[in-house]
């Protein structure tokens, strides 16, 4: 039986994610009817695909509805309530155990009574438990409705009910109840009531018969269905909460919670009285959405209006790229000094019973569509089509835009649009004036003081702070020269910090977390408009509930990394009684660990004192390091002080500024900010720069070097933030988006609260010893050494160990080439019996049972079937290498992976010599390069790459000069044009999106299994559970050790976890959730030998991936120069001359894989098992072998890693996923199209369509591609008209020869991967509104389209034509980020566009009708050029496109334009990427040259 | 670092040797030098590999990528500093090291290795010429005394290191000049002896004491040394040459290679030679043994004006260019043609020596027999059989260059009562300490005859061990 688990093994409930469908229906005029409730439930039911079900296929993750209090219905129940609004009511979940339930009731009653309230009635809410699934039933609460009366006006009573509920929560938390979660007040209000449970969308009405009662009426129905990554019975986490339904994820939640905790000490509210009663404001143990709801409710109860509170919590961006009023910018800036944003993708729908509205995060990462009818009904939902109306009845169709809000007042019957709402809140106070009067800008301050950058004892300090030669040469110099972080390649094969026998900086024990699946990372370059590093320091953050100009008495900094000069100013500001205090981060050398501990504690006390003395910020400094005083690791000092101040509720009153010689690389800065620092002055790094400039190592002046260095750090910070989908440093600060590896929980609990560590590790003693050891290198010798090369990036004899070293590389190459198993064993010896462990697996030995004879073990061919090669694109590696991998895998029965970048269709057929170069696995990465229907149907596995081990959360770029004819062809692009892979898949912003993409792919190719590639990090198991529920057939857990062709050095070294941890966590979580049986698990990450494979199998993997090792077999010598295209062995290059040096052969790989399989067989025989399947997940066969020779390693603890969940759930894949691709539209489309498919005779038909009909056309297109390849059928061979609202992915992968005409509207992802088909979207017949001013299709249309035509008579959402590489399209208005990353095709926009048009656009042309003359403001000019329509050819092309649009859609706007062509043609702007312009220009020149040549010839 | 693309456009360029006709007439160094620009271009070819196999292959662990980069950037001084961190005497290895690094260079996969050895020599010569290499005596002295017995490469490195650590070092050398085999075994045309003198001068300035013509255990009392030293280092090399006890070995004209080579070096140094002078002028010379020492005999014989020089080797002729049996990055067993071979020499393989033939006690010829090598299918061992074909090579002089057996036991070692390993070398633990407390050993005396660079690495390792021992 599944129970809500406590933390066990590697699983932690903290990692749970959810996402969902949300919606509301409102009668604007406020009439309460049952119809609205009914419609609300229908909305939910029509988004059933956005929720999820558990392993028993009956348990939903949660569904609920918020309505106005159904007064008549309550009266009908015989409860003598007073008039509407004068009593409160709500549902309460009670524990099933009677004695506990009684206790709870008693507690409730006593609190209500004490607060002067009267529990008027308790009603047993009728429920239909029979329909529940096993999992949800296991923890079904007893549900009662309570009715409470009390004195005072409705608002006062509402507040009293709130306070009483908070008291109940607090009392429950402090009680002795065994199952505290089971006592939960769903809502308690005078205005609104929530019904919810662990239900599917369809179960809600059946479970609560109340909801179907005709007298159950409301003017508002806000609904929510949940898709959670877990399947544990958590009734309380269903939504809506008290005010909010949230679809999305709060990435900064950890920080937000800490800050709120800290803030509690300064809050005051006359309205709420004794604040202590309300604390904690954020109920613990709940989801991110629940915390946000708590926060919103608190602000509203404290007197903020809903729009005001919402705008504080989830502010729009307010930099210069956002066209909002200055007043509103001031509002946001003022509030940003009070509170950090709750950052992350979000559709937030809210209601207090009178108002109902919604808002979107600043980046618009969740969809929300609305519709208003002529009879004053409004529907807002994640999708359009959740309610259908006759076309004539619709007054308006629109969508919530990024950062924008919409609200309805059911009392005044008014719709408030964003502008009006924001104007009102922005003008409530003179925020601009307040800011100007109080807020200082650092860049405007100057001083006459001389500030030095050099340090007299630099050499000693560099040793003491552990500067290595590589730090300087590989990181700092490139940063100072180029202004950006350096790039490296291949993976990280050096030991993690705790396994190294060299002293380490504390920074080295931390790893960056990153977003995968449950929320999208951001592209900080192309979507810079939402990013911000602005920092404020200095305010006595008083009571944020009270508007006060003094709040913004702060210093504003553009960059949180400050120069010595700026720092000097900051230190000496005395403006408005500013004051700071310096606290030395030092401890005496002689005292060792205890001195360090004492010093840190003392620092905390001093910090507390500083608050009491009224200082604005404290400066933690290690300037005083000398022979006797050692620097406390800056991270330890910052985090300790930060957490201490939070704990004593004094953190809000003071800011932490760090002056340290320790931080030098991006990761160091990110950590210091992530653990609470506001500003950092890296004086040591500056002194090094100064020295390098003086020694001419950096050929520029100091100022330039410094500027570049800071710029690199800042850019790097943005990258680190965006990896987690966080857009502002203000919300990143203190959010602790890190995990530790190899630190003891004792240290973490004391100084890094909230940080997880899975395998235990170092204590304060080790930290002190390392600090002292480095210090001594600098101060205990006469003449400190120059920084040494520690071999972190490149191998050095005396440096850090590397798993790939001369011995292992050469032995492997020799073994594979000679085909000698003995030589292979020599290689194995070098890997398995290394002198010193490098990986966690090196600590794991097998507990042999009864060995069997090797002849009894399954043959090698059964084992090689489980092998795959890593995703390496043709482009990143040479054709020779790519094909050798494919041939070898096809021979041994494994699978090779195309990587991102398509595959030449020639390779789909066998070669004359019988070998096959077809890659069995076709990867679908965020760039969607070469992802055509044909590509997808020629696969055995379709792999969605969510993240890559070497650079999780980041995109990539193939520079134009690398894109030659053939690469361009396979990627369906143009030679010479840069190809950018965005950090996120633009169709996966959440888990339900992933489910949709899996569904899409299953439709195109039902025979291929769909896999999802994740990267090991804390919480990956939970993500994997969500992925399993999203119906992936296989999940790949990739280790952070994985390779790359090019990635920022900091990502290779500091992001992600070793594969052992991620794999074990995934296995444990899937087993605990009962989901393991339905998916296969694959793993990779520096697997090298049979031992590694068997360890991975025992930890839970069924399949195994090899990439670096395979390349080494083919000749790679780990140059780590892939990114320079200079691979001297012809593996990772496209250069003809270098490719000639390639000596690899597929036979070598065949040898290698057979050796590996034999090696596995030997282990199996020794373990006493016949089949690899028999050992999958059997962690009890693994034994932790402690290594005694190292003080740090002795402290490791693998018990959580080796934990095996109890119970009888499957521990390996035993059954297939059930994909819902049987009862779908396409099945009938295919049968109707048989004549076309079989005989190419044209067919035509008309069909109805609903939003639940998803991915229509994909399966049909798959059938076409199977038969006819990319060429498809003749134009219009299949022509189909649909009527209604199309579900997501309408016309996805539509093949050539198919025309889809949609009369109605469409949801997100229309035309995804369009492969030659034609889509026409027009409003339904009879539509009264003007099509060009209403929205007709959703977000992210034509994502990765390679060809075809799309004509849309109306506006569309964000990211239209993202990564389009060949489709031609006309649309009448688009949202933000239109044409993002586009590499080809034509886009015509006959109307307004949103912001950031053409970001990252490297190919194709867009024409935009710029009637208001302000298009340039909305266009991202980084890569494109704007011009008028000057050339005749362009004029003609544009006119033809619009004419075609008119022909297909009868668009009135198109008609008007065509009729007034000469007038309109001048209003068009032509957007052309600079690179593309050059290509076109070159083509023209080439053509002219040819002509000239011919002319001369004739002459 | 470096120029990652240079290897694509710049070819390996060796400085090469002086023309044969010119060099054959003198004992000056045969190798030429490139100008600085070319040298920098050559250094730019280094790709700064992620896994620098050169660095791995080098027994000293020289950081090739780091100093190549500095040479490329014209930072010769820093280049020398990096080099000197790992290599005490780059002026020796830069001249005579067989450059294991270059064999393991990734560019050697396509036979275009970076000219690491030459670059090393250039860096060092430049450093000397610019006056960057000056005596740098230790600032403080530990008061501990160390005796180093034997002044070959291992002994010199140990002495140098220990002295820098502040210990008082005395080096004992049985010959009148310091340098061991560097001095006596390596012909001047490969290593000019002034190069050694230059270094010894520096070491003396830094405080190392050299006692020459002092054979410990014979002319100098071991007891005295032991009682006056806190530690003793044995670096006496592998003095016992492998002899060929065949019929006629006693004939006049049959010599060990080293007798011949050291005589030549002594006479070039203007020092008296012991015993009868050997001169190849106008003689037919047969060198037995195909290795480097043999090659040195060839070069020396030619310089003395030999009529004809033949070199024979018992093993088969190694393949030319590439040998799949010893793939990269291993040391390739391929045909090596030295500067001496170029100067004129008949080279033959698969020949074993049956007997020396003489007349009146004077050698006139050598009977040799052809052998063939086969792999025994049972054991996998490479075994030799005579084919039965024999031949007589006319020869007036024979030099036996067949390697060395072990260090001289008699005298010093036996007196010390150190234990030997199976091969008769001084047996030491991982810290180079012999079976006798406080007595350490390194170099060929421990490992058997090997490369100068290995001896140096061994000497360095011993110095660390001795230092740790003295600190206790």
């Amino acid at each position: 039986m599944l129970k809500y688990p406590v933390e066990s093994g590697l699983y932690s409930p903290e990692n749970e994610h959810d996402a969902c469908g949300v919606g509301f229906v409102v009668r604007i005029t406020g009439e309460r009817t049952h119809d609205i409730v009914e419609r609300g439930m229908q909305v939910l039911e029509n988004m059933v695909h956005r929720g999820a079900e558990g392993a028993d296929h009956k348990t939903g993750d949660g569904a609920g509805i918020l309505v106005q209090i159904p007064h008549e219905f309550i009266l009908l129940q015989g409860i003598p309530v007073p008039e509407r609004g004068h009593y409160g009511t709500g549902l309460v979940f009670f524990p099933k155990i009677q004695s506990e339930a009684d206790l709870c009731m008693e507690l409730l009653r006593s609190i209500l009574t004490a607060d002067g309230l009267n529990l008027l009635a308790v009603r047993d809410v009728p429920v239909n438990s029979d329909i529940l699934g096993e999992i949800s039933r296991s923890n079904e609460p007893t549900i009662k409705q309570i009715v409470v009366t009390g004195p005072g006006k409705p608002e006062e009573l509402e507040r009293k009910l709130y306070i009483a509920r908070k008291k109940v929560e607090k009392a429950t938390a402090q009680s002795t109840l065994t199952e505290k979660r089971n006592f939960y007040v769903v809502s308690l209000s005078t205005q609104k009531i929530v019904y919810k449970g662990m239900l599917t969308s369809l179960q809600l009405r059946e479970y609560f018969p109340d909801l179907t009662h005709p007298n159950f009426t409301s003017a508002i129905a806000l609904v929510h269905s949940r898709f959670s990554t877990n399947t544990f019975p958590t009734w309380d986490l269903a939504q809506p909460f008290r005010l909010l339904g949230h679809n999305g994820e709060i990435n900064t939640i950890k920080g937000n919670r800490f800050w709120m905790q800290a803030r509690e000490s300064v809050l005051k509210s006359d309205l709420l009285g004794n604040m202590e009663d309300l604390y904690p404001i954020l109920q613990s143990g709940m989801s991110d959405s629940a915390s946000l709801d708590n926060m919103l409710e608190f602000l509203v109860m404290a007197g903020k209006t809903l729009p005001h509170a919402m705008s504080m919590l989830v502010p729009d961006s307010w930099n210069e790229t956002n066209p909002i009023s200055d007043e509103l910018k001031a509002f946001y800036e003022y509030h940003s000094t009070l509170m950090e944003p709750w950052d992350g993708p979000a559709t937030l729908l809210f209601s207090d019973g009178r108002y109902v509205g919604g808002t979107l995060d600043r980046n618009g990462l969740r969809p929300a569509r609305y519709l208003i009818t002529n009879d004053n009904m409004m529907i807002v939902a994640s999708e359009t089509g959740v309610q259908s109306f006759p076309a004539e009845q619709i007054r308006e169709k629109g969508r919530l835009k990024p950062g924008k809000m919409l609200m309805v007042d059911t009392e005044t019957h008014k719709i408030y649009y964003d502008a009006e709402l924001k104007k009102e809140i922005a003008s409530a106070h003179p925020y601009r004036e307040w800011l100007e009067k109080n807020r200082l800008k650092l860049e405007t301050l100057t001083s006459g003081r001389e500030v030095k950058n050099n340090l007299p004892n630099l050499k000693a300090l560099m040793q003491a702070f552990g500067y290595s030669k590589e730090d300087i040469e590989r990181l700092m110099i490139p940063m100072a020269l180029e202004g950006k972080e350096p790039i490296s390649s291949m993976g990280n094969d050096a030991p993690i910090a705790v396994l190294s026998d060299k002293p380490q900086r504390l920074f080295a024990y931390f790893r960056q977390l990153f977003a995968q699946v449950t929320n999208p990372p951001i592209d900080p370059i192309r979507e810079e408009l939402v990013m911000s590093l602005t920092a404020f320091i200095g305010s006595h953050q008083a009571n944020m509930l009270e508007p006060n100009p003094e709040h913004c008495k702060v210093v504003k900094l553009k960059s949180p990394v400050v120069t010595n000069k700026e720092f000097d100013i900051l230190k000496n500001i005395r403006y408005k009684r500013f004051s700071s205090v310096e606290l030395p981060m030092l401890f005496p050398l002689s005292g060792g660990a205890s001195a360090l501990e004492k010093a840190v504690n003392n620092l905390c006390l001093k910090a507390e004192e500083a608050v009491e003395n009224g200082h604005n910020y404290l400066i933690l400094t290690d300037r005083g390091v000398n022979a006797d005083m050692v620097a406390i690791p800056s991270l330890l000092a910052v985090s300790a002080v930060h957490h201490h101040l939070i704990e004593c509720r004094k953190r809000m009153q003071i800011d932490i500024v760090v002056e340290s010689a320790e931080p030098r690389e991006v990761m160091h800065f990110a950590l210091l900010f992530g653990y609470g620092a506001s500003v950092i002055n890296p004086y040591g790094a500056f002194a090094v720069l100064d020295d390098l400039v003086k020694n001419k190592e950096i050929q520029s002046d100091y100022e330039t070097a410094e500027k570049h260095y800071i710029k690199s750090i800042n850019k790097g910070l943005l990258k680190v933030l965006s990896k987690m989908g966080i857009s502002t440093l203000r919300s990143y600060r203190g959010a602790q988006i890190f995990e530790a590896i190899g630190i003891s929980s004792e240290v973490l609990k004391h100084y890094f609260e909230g940080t997880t560590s899975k395998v235990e590790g170092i204590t304060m003693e080790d930290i002190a010893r390392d600090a002292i050891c480095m210090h001594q290198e600098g101060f205990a010798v006469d003449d400190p050494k120059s920084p040494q090369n520690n071999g972190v990036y490149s191998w050095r004899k005396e440096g850090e160990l590397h798993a790939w070293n001369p011995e292992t590389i050469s032995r492997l190459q020799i073994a594979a080439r000679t085909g000698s198993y003995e030589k292979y064993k020599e290689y194995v010896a070098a890997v398995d019996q290394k002198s010193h462990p490098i990986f966690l697996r090196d600590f794991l030995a097998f507990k042999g049972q009864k060995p069997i004879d090797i002849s009894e073990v399954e043959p090698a061919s059964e084992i090689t079937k489980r092998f795959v090669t890593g995703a390496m694109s043709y482009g990143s590696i040479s054709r020779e290498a790519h094909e050798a991998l494919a041939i070898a895998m096809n021979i041994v029965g494994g699978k090779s992976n195309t990587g991102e970048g398509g595959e030449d269709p020639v390779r789909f057929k066998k070669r004359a010599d019988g070998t096959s170069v077809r890659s069995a696995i076709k990867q679908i990465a965020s760039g969607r390069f070469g992802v055509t229907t044909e590509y997808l149907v020629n696969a055995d596995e379709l792999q969605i790459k969510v993240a890559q081990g070497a650079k999780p959360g980041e995109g990539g770029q193939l520079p134009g000069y690398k894109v030659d004819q053939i690469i361009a062809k396979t990627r369906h692009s143009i030679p010479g044009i840069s190809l950018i892979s965005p950090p996120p898949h633009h169709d996966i912003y959440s888990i339900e999106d992933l489910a949709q993409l899996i569904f899409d792919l299953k439709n195109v190719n039902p025979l291929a299994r769909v896999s999802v590639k994740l990267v090991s990090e804390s919480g990956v198991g939970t993500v994997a559970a969500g992925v399993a529920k999203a119906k992936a057939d296989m999940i790949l857990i990739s280790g952070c050790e994985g390779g790359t062709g090019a990635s920022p050095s900091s990502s290779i070294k500091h992001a992600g976890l070793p594969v052992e941890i991620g794999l074990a966590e995934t296995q444990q979580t899937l087993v605990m959730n009962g989901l393991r049986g339905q998916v296969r698990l694959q793993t990779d990450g520096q697997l090298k030998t049979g031992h590694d494979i068997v360890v991975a199998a025992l930890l839970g993997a069924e399949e195994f991936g090899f990439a670096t090792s395979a390349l080494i077999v083919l000749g790679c010598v780990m140059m780590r120069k892939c990114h320079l295209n200079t691979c001297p062995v012809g593996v990772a290059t496209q250069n003809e001359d270098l490719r000639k040096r390639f000596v690899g052969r597929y036979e070598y790989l065949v040898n290698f894989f057979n050796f590996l399989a034999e090696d596995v067989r030997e282990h199996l025989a020794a373990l006493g098992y016949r089949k690899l399947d028999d050992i999958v997940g059997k962690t009890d066969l693994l034994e932790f072998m402690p290594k005694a020779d190292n003080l740090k390693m002795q402290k490791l603890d693998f018990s959580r890693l080796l934990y095996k969940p109890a119970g009888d759930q499957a521990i390996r894949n035993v059954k297939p996923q059930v994909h819902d691709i049987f009862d779908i539209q396409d099945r009938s489309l295919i049968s109707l199209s048989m004549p076309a498919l079989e005989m190419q005779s044209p067919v035509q038909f008309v069909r109805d369509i609903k939003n639940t009909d998803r991915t229509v056309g994909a399966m049909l297109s798959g059938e076409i591609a199977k038969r006819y390849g990319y060429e498809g059928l003749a134009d219009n061979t299949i022509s189909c008209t649909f009527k209604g609202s199309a579900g997501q992915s309408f016309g996805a992968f539509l093949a050539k020869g198919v025309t889809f005409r949609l009369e109605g509207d469409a949801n997100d992802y229309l035309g995804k991967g369009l492969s030659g088909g034609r889509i026409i979207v027009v409003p339904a017949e009879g539509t009264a509104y003007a099509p060009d001013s209403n929205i007709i299709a959703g977000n992210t249309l034509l994502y990765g389209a390679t060809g075809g035509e799309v004509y849309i008579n109306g506006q569309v959402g964000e990211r239209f034509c993202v990564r389009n590489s060949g489709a031609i399209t006309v649309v009448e208005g688009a949202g933000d980020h239109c044409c993002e990353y586009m590499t080809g095709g034509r886009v015509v926009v006959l109307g307004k566009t949103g912001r950031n048009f053409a970001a990252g656009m490297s190919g194709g042309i867009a024409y935009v009708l710029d009637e208001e003359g302000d298009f340039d403001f909305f266009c991202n000019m980084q890569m494109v050029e704007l011009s008028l329509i000057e050339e005749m050819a362009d004029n003609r092309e544009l006119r033809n496109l619009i004419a075609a649009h008119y022909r297909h859609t009868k668009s009135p706007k198109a008609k008007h334009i065509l009729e007034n062509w000469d007038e309109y043609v001048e209003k068009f702007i032509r957007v052309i990427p600079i690179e593309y312009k050059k290509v076109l220009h070159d083509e023209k020149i080439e053509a002219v040259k040819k002509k000239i040549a011919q002319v001369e010839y004739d002459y | 670092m470096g120029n990652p693309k240079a290897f694509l456009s710049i070819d390996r360029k060796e400085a090469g040797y002086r023309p044969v006709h010119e060099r054959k007439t003198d004992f000056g160094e045969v190798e030429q030098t490139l100008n600085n620009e070319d040298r920098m271009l050559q250094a730019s070819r280094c790709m700064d590999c992620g896994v620098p196999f050169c660095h791995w292959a080098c027994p000293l662990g020289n950081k090739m990528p780091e100093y190549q980069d500095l040479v490329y950037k014209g930072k010769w001084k820093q280049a020398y500093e990096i080099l000197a961190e790992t290599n005490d005497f780059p002026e020796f290895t830069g001249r005579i090291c067989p450059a294991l690094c270059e064999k393991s260079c990734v560019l050697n996969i396509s036979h275009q290795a970076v000219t690491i050895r030459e670059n090393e020599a250039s860096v060092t010569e430049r450093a000397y010429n610019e006056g960057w290499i000056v005596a740098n005596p230790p600032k403080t002295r530990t008061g501990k005394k160390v005796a180093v017995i034997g002044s070959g490469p291992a002994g010199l490195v140990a002495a140098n290191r220990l002295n820098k650590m502040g210990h008082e070092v005395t080096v004992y050398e049985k010959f009148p000049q310091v340098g061991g085999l560097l001095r006596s075994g390596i012909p001047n045309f490969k290593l000019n002896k002034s190069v050694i003198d230059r270094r010894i001068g520096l070491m003396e300035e830094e405080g190392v004491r050299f006692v020459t013509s002092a054979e410990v255990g014979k002319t100098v009392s071991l007891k005295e040394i032991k009682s006056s030293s806190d530690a003793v280092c044995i670096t006496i090399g592998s003095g016992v040459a492998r002899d060929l006890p065949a019929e006629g070995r006693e004939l006049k004209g049959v010599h060990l290679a080293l007798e011949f080579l050291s005589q030549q070096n002594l006479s070039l140094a203007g020092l008296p030679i012991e015993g009868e002078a050997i001169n190849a002028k106008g003689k037919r010379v047969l060198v037995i043994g195909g290795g480097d020492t043999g090659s040195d005999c060839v070069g020396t014989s030619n310089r003395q004006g030999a009529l004809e020089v033949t070199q024979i080797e018992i093993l088969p002729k190694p393949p030319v260019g590439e040998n799949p049996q010893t793939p990269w990055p291993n040391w390739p067993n391929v045909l090596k043609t030295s500067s001496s071979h170029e100067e004129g020499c008949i080279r033959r393989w698969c020949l074993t020596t049956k007997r020396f033939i003489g007349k009146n006690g004077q050698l006139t010829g050598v009977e040799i027999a052809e052998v063939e090598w086969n792999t025994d299918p049972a054991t996998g061992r490479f075994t030799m059989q005579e084919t039965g074909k024999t031949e007589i090579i006319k020869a007036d002089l024979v030099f036996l260059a067949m390697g060395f057996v072990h260090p001289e036991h008699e005298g010093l070692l036996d007196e010390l009562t150190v234990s030997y390993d199976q091969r008769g070398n001084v047996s030491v633990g991982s810290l180079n300490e012999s079976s006798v407390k406080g007595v350490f050993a390194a170099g060929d005396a421990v490992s058997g005859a090997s490369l100068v660079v290995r001896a140096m690495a061994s000497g360095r390792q011993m110095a660390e061990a001795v230092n740790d021992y003295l600190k206790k």
Side-chain angles (χ1 to χ4, degrees), chain B residues 325-344:
Chain B
Q325 296 304 311
T326 54
W328 179 92
N330 296 309
W331 174 262
N333 178 25
V334 293
L335 182 70
K336 195 177 152 194
T337 305
S338 69
S339 66
S340 296
H341 292 137
E342 288 173 357
E343 290 156 8

Side-chain angles (χ1 to χ4, degrees), chain A residues 469 473-474 493 695-697 782-783 788-789 793-798 804-807 809-810 813-814 817-818 823 961 1115 1117-1121 1124-1129 1135 1137-1138 1141 1143, chain B residues 1 4-5 7-8 47-63 65-66 69-70 73 75 78 82 85 106-107 109-110 112 139-140 324-330 460:
Chain A
K469 195 169 174 176
E473 290 183 349
R474 292 197 189 263
D493 59 348
N695 291 329
K696 304 266 186 297
E697 300 280 340
D782 297 337
D783 185 16
Q788 293 287 300
N789 189 319
Y793 297 92
S794 295
W795 181 84
R796 287 289 182 274
K797 263 188 181 170
E798 306 290 324
W804 288 119
N805 54 51
E807 297 285 346
I809 293 172
S810 56
Q813 290 189 343
I814 291 167
R817 281 175 203 178
T818 56
K823 295 266 180 208
Y961 64 81
V1117 287
M1118 295 294 279
M1119 285 297 296
R1120 298 180 185 271
K1121 296 282 178 294
L1124 299 175
N1125 201 22
T1126 61
C1127 180
V1129 288
N1135 178 312
D1137 290 332
L1138 292 173
R1141 294 166 175 246
V1143 294
Chain B
M1 270 206 155
K5 293 187 181 165
F7 75 97
L8 287 171
M47 304 182 293
D48 182 26
C49 298
V51 179
F53 285 81
C54 48
H55 166 67
W56 164 74
C58 177
L60 289 168
N62 287 352
K63 298 168 192 164
E66 289 167 43
D69 178 55
L70 290 164
K73 289 178 178 154
K75 295 181 179 168
Q78 283 113 303
I82 288 284
E85 275 180 26
V106 169
L107 288 177
I109 297 175
S110 46
Q112 282 272 311
K139 290 194 183 100
T140 49
Q325 296 304 311
T326 54
W328 179 92
N330 296 309
R460 186 174 77 191

Side-chain angles (χ1 to χ4, degrees), chain A residues 181-232:
Chain A
R181 280 205 97 89
N182 294 1
F183 178 40
Y184 174 80
V185 182
V186 177
S187 72
L188 184 57
S189 161
T190 61
Q191 302 296 318
K192 61 205 184 307
I193 187 165
V194 176
Y195 280 71
K196 70 178 187 182
M198 195 169 173
L199 306 163
T200 66
S201 305
L202 299 173
Q203 285 171 343
L204 183 66
R205 70 166 71 223
E206 269 189 275
Y207 185 75
F208 289 115
D210 283 5
L211 297 176
T212 46
H213 194 284
N215 288 95
F216 195 95
T217 60
S218 172
I220 296 169
L222 193 159
V223 292
H224 185 280
S225 76
R226 180 163 184 252
F227 188 135
S228 159
T229 47
N230 68 31
T231 53
F232 303 121

